[in-house]
Amino acid sequence: MNNIKYFLLTITLFSLSACTSPPEGITAVKNFDLQKYQGKWYEIARLNHSFEEGMEQVTANYTINDDGTVKVINKGYITKEQQWKNAQGLAKFVGDSDIGHFKVSFFGPFYGAYVIFELEQADYQYAFITSYNKDYLWFLSRTPQVGDELKEHFLKTVKDLGFATEQIIWVKQK
């Protein structure tokens, strides 16, 4: 009986850690500076999920809490319902604070990975993010619009990494 409990506990812990690990072939950025990363970001593109379906004008705002965790506020306009939706979450570093790898929770004790795998290092003007698998993908920018050259760079990068580029949604921003 103890072996079964140990086995179930091991599987549970493995499953929980798998949700905060990066997908195969993805490495979080190094030399990460949370002070520079905090603030408002605009969602330029994403792979769609039910929690963002039908949304445009999506933004994410990151604020450092006194304890070093990060308050996350996502906001988007649901066009069908003609209303704004907000979600507040909490992010914590998975490992070292100079690595762009967090675990984020919007639902109590359940965390998912937030892996920044490309980041414009000079001024933190854009970031490419994924989660624990390649079904999740976001392209964030400090500005609501980006140039075609950066869009093409994003598409090439994520295609080379195995993301489903044909399913990418380009988010309308005002």
Side-chain angles (χ1 to χ4, degrees):
M1 189 65 160
N2 282 339
N3 287 341
I4 292 173
K5 286 180 185 178
Y6 177 75
F7 176 75
L8 291 175
L9 178 63
T10 302
I11 294 296
T12 301
L13 291 174
F14 176 76
S15 296
L16 290 174
S17 69
C19 291
T20 60
S21 298
E24 187 176 331
I26 302 289
T27 304
V29 296
K30 294 175 175 41
N31 301 316
F32 179 77
D33 182 345
L34 183 55
Q35 292 288 334
K36 286 174 67 174
Y37 194 78
Q38 73 176 332
K40 186 174 186 176
W41 291 85
Y42 295 88
E43 189 175 88
I44 302 302
R46 69 172 180 259
L47 289 176
N48 207 25
H49 287 279
S50 60
F51 53 86
E52 283 189 289
E53 194 166 347
M55 281 191 182
E56 57 186 44
Q57 300 180 60
V58 179
T59 59
N61 199 348
Y62 304 97
T63 308
I64 303 170
N65 295 319
D66 291 339
D67 64 358
T69 61
V70 180
K71 179 175 155 183
V72 180
I73 298 179
N74 291 341
K75 180 179 178 182
Y77 187 73
I78 305 170
T79 54
K80 189 175 184 178
E81 298 173 15
Q82 295 188 342
Q83 67 179 8
W84 290 95
K85 179 180 178 183
N86 292 313
Q88 183 172 325
L90 182 69
K92 300 176 182 182
F93 282 103
V94 170
D96 294 336
S97 62
D98 65 341
I99 306 291
H101 183 187
F102 296 86
K103 58 182 183 178
V104 181
S105 176
F106 289 93
F107 312 106
F110 303 103
Y111 284 86
Y114 181 99
V115 182
I116 304 164
F117 62 92
E118 183 164 326
L119 177 64
E120 188 274 321
Q121 288 290 322
D123 300 312
Y124 284 36
Q125 291 300 299
Y126 73 85
F128 303 163
I129 297 114
T130 189
S131 188
Y132 66 94
N133 69 33
K134 293 179 183 175
D135 292 339
Y136 297 90
L137 176 66
W138 295 272
F139 173 6
L140 302 181
S141 173
R142 293 292 190 175
T143 59
Q145 308 295 326
V146 298
D148 290 340
E149 188 175 317
L150 185 51
K151 287 179 183 178
E152 290 172 18
H153 171 67
F154 169 71
L155 286 173
K156 181 182 181 333
T157 299
V158 298
K159 183 176 184 176
D160 290 349
L161 290 170
F163 288 91
T165 55
E166 68 282 356
Q167 295 176 18
I168 288 174
I169 294 171
W170 296 96
V171 180
K172 292 180 185 174
Q173 294 283 354
K174 286 190 178 184

